[in-house]
């Protein structure tokens, strides 16, 4: 550091915003604090900015003299292997290109590989290198999807740093127990003091952390102050009960059904309906069962529906919203809510002992099939019922790929999430083989990573078919990006044959052949890079 820089660094307070404002306005209009105007002012401003940058990157901002800073806590986890540490530095140093469009080129997108690297490092229990923590926190600050994995990997030292730099304070809110005054969860007095005196964000973090450790204690803490909390706070606190929701929560949630806030009542009703043995679920089942029956007098047994004629006070207390959205009939709106909240175990007994597959195959009279099946879809998603999800999805090769109740790709994706990973992959593979990739993007997003071999082969084969047909290549950029992150790295060698530029049909999009070659080159390079990443995190395993 030059003498001028040292002088400026010692004399200037580290007011970064003031320095930025001065730079934007120009030193001829504003002089940096502590600097005399003159021809050297622009240089002094740059020196001050350089010194402030070093301070900010170090994580400690200048302040009044205070108690000596305590050392960062130790991280007991094993250190990263050297090759993996170098890889992490490269991933964190990568920045997306400035161009918002155009071709991506053949180089892998390293920032898109960072989530997978973090997941693998966390699975192996490694500690983050101290020198990587600032860049890791910066990456997590810019991408909320990275935060859970990044903060878990960064460990206790990240929270220590976050208390020193306002830019990283998000880590204190995002990490359980990360608040500046967060007590030991084994300290009942500290927990009670923070619950009574803490800021709202600290109390939410405390309740979430305690809920994961002792669900009953968290609920008891909430019950103590429930009557005095603000409505918006009650809603957030109630939402924290989703983690570890159990039958023991029913009594408290039943009381919340009488809350002054409609949003709180609806949330409590939604939680209770996810408990199949709850009294609310039984009440909803009784109401829904009255509305749906099988007419055996017809030539073919047919489901008949008699939707509710009114929404009474008891229904509203149990979470049924009385006012229908614009363009929606009131009776169908009420029916959908009742069927959605009723346990799916209600229907086999009510509808002649039939299985879910047999029930959804029955015709439904008077045009009620769409409404009834859509409500069953929502119930299957809420209750994570694999049998009903399977029945409502139907066969992937069905015309238009629509199951009996799956009226949209988004609903199919949600139903697939209730199946185990292998069955999910097999269903999506069949969908792609029959219908191609044009509508498969949402379905691929719910499949486990890395994709199972049959699914990976179906995706690659469909991409190859699209390439040979001269299809518009940019239409598949989303699926290609997913393949880069989700294909098994072992598939790389099988793709080498696709790297050549194919002959373009006469009706192909201009330049399509070179684009496809470039895209497959990026795919193969990315797969090999992912394989190398995993090998670096597993000492003794050779890189592919």
């Amino acid at each position: 550091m030059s003498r001028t820089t040292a002088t400026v660094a010692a004399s200037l307070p580290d007011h970064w915003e003031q320095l930025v404002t001065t730079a934007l306005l120009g030193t001829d209009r504003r002089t940096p604090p502590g600097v005399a105007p003159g021809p050297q002012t622009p240089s002094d401003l740059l020196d001050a900015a350089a010194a402030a940058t070093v301070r900010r990157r170090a994580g400690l901002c200048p302040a009044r003299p205070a108690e000596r800073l305590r050392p960062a806590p130790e991280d007991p986890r094993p250190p990263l292997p050297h090759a993996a540490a170098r890889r992490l530095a490269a991933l964190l140093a990568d920045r997306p290109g400035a161009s918002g469009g155009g071709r991506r080129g053949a180089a892998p997108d390293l920032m898109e590989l960072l989530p997978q690297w973090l997941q693998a490092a966390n699975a192996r229990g490694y500690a983050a290198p101290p020198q990587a923590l600032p860049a890791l926190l910066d990456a997590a600050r810019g991408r909320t999807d990275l935060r859970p994995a990044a903060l878990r990997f960064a460990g206790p030292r990240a929270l220590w740093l976050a208390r020193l730099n306002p830019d990283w304070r998000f880590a204190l809110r995002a990490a359980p127990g990360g608040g500046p005054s967060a007590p030991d969860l084994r300290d009942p007095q500290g927990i009670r003091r923070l619950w009574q005196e803490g800021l709202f964000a600290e109390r939410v973090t405390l309740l979430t952390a305690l809920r994961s450790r002792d669900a009953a204690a968290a609920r008891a803490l909430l019950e103590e102050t429930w009557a005095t909390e603000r409505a918006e706070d009650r809603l957030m606190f109630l939402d924290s009960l989703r983690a570890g929701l159990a039958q023991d929560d029913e009594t408290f949630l039943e009381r919340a059904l009488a809350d002054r806030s409609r949003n709180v009542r609806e949330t409590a009703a939604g939680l209770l309906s996810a408990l199949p043995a709850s009294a609310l679920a039984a009440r909803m089942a009784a109401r829904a069962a009255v509305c749906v029956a099988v007419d055996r007098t017809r030539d073919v047994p047919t489901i008949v529906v008699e939707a509710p004629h009114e929404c009474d006070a008891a229904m509203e207390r149990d979470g049924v919203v009385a006012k229908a959205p614009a363009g929606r009939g009131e009776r169908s709106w009420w029916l959908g809510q009742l069927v959605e909240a009723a346990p799916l175990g209600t229907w086999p007994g009510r509808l002649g002992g039939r299985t879910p597959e047999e029930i959804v195959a029955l015709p439904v009279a008077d045009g009620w099939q769409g409404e009834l099946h859509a409500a069953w879809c929502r119930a299957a998603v809420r209750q994570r019922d694999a049998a009903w999800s399977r029945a409502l999805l139907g066969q992937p090769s069905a015309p238009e790929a629509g199951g009996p109740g799956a009226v949209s790709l988004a609903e199919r994706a949600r139903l697939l999430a209730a199946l185990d990973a292998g069955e999910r992959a097999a269903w999506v593979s069949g969908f792609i083989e029959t219908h191609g990739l044009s509508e498969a993007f949402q379905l691929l997003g719910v499949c486990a990573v890395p994709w199972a071999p049959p699914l990976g082969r179906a995706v690659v084969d469909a991409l190859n078919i699209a390439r040979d047909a001269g299809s518009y290549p940019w239409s598949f950029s989303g699926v290609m990006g997913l393949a880069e992150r989700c294909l098994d790295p072992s598939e790389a060698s099988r793709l080498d044959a696709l790297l050549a530029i194919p002959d373009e049909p006469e009706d192909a999009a201009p330049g399509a052949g070179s684009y496809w070659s470039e895209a497959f080159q990026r795919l193969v390079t990315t797969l090999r890079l992912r394989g190398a990443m995993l090998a670096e995190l597993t000492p003794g395993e050779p890189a592919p």
Side-chain angles (χ1 to χ4, degrees), residues 151-538:
L151 293 178
R152 178 183 169 191
F153 177 62
R157 290 173 174 171
L159 299 182
W160 181 87
L161 276 177
R163 295 185 181 102
L164 304 175
N165 188 337
D167 288 346
W168 299 332
R169 289 294 174 88
F170 72 88
L172 303 178
R173 298 187 297 271
S181 56
D184 187 330
L185 292 181
R186 296 166 296 184
D187 175 14
Q189 291 183 347
I191 289 174
R192 188 171 300 280
R193 182 167 54 253
L194 181 57
W195 181 250
Q196 297 289 346
E197 303 173 4
L199 299 175
F200 173 69
E202 294 173 331
R203 299 175 75 210
V204 171
T205 299
L206 171 65
L207 191 64
T208 303
L210 186 59
R211 180 74 177 175
S212 64
R213 182 185 180 94
D214 187 341
R219 186 181 62 251
L221 197 67
L222 182 56
E223 287 182 289
E224 288 183 7
T225 60
W226 180 257
T228 61
E229 303 288 355
R230 299 183 305 167
E232 54 269 32
D233 294 353
R234 293 198 304 275
L235 183 63
M236 290 293 294
F237 292 144
L238 195 62
D239 199 59
S240 71
L241 298 186
R242 293 184 189 278
L245 183 67
Q247 204 64 42
D248 291 343
D249 298 316
E250 181 181 3
T251 302
F252 173 68
L253 292 173
E254 275 283 344
R255 290 202 299 271
L257 290 176
D259 196 88
R260 301 184 301 276
S261 166
R262 187 186 72 180
N263 289 334
V264 172
R265 294 195 301 270
E266 290 177 0
T267 300
L271 291 170
L272 283 167
S273 67
L275 296 172
S278 69
L280 179 138
R283 295 193 295 270
M284 288 298 198
R287 293 174 180 127
V290 171
C291 300
V292 181
V294 173
D295 184 353
R296 296 178 177 82
T297 65
R298 306 189 184 207
D299 294 338
V300 177
T302 301
I303 293 178
V304 291
V305 173
E306 181 67 25
H309 289 272
E310 64 173 345
C311 180
D312 58 31
M315 288 170 61
E316 288 195 66
R317 181 183 181 275
D318 284 347
V320 177
V321 178
K323 184 175 177 57
R328 183 80 179 273
E330 283 186 333
R331 296 182 65 198
S332 64
W333 171 244
W334 299 332
L335 173 75
Q337 293 179 79
L338 295 181
V339 173
E340 177 184 354
L344 289 164
T346 302
W347 302 110
R350 173 62 176 164
L351 303 178
R354 292 175 171 84
T355 65
E357 287 81 2
E358 292 169 336
I359 290 172
V360 299
L362 289 174
V364 183
D366 303 325
W368 282 103
Q369 177 170 317
E371 186 67 51
L372 182 61
H373 284 193
W376 277 336
C377 280
R378 297 192 298 274
V381 171
R382 178 185 291 187
Q383 298 171 36
R384 300 194 63 81
D385 190 300
W388 275 88
S389 295
R390 193 178 298 117
L392 290 161
L393 278 165
Q395 294 300 315
S397 58
E400 300 181 359
V407 297
S408 71
L409 282 171
E411 280 187 321
R412 294 181 195 123
R414 288 191 287 270
L415 289 168
L416 281 168
L419 306 181
D420 64 55
E423 188 175 1
R424 211 180 309 162
W427 198 95
V428 178
S429 299
F431 179 95
I432 293 172
E433 290 168 1
T434 304
H435 305 284
L437 287 171
S438 59
E439 294 186 342
F441 185 80
Q442 283 180 290
L443 306 180
L444 287 168
V446 300
C447 293
V449 178
W451 288 336
L455 178 57
R457 287 192 294 271
V459 171
V460 172
D461 290 345
L463 287 170
N464 194 20
I465 291 170
R467 181 191 70 158
D468 291 344
S471 299
Y472 194 66
W474 296 274
S475 300
F476 299 91
S477 59
V479 174
M480 189 67 79
L482 271 180
E484 292 170 17
R485 300 189 296 276
C486 303
L487 269 177
D488 193 304
S490 63
E491 295 286 323
S493 58
R494 198 170 68 85
L495 299 175
D496 285 337
L498 302 177
L499 301 183
I501 299 178
D503 295 330
E504 296 182 5
E506 292 183 1
D507 56 347
S514 61
Y515 172 91
W516 280 111
S517 175
E518 188 177 86
F520 278 117
Q521 178 65 60
R522 184 174 60 249
L523 175 59
V524 170
T525 303
T526 302
L527 293 179
R528 291 195 168 124
L529 177 57
R530 285 174 51 212
M533 284 167 35
L534 294 176
E536 292 163 356
L537 287 165
T538 309

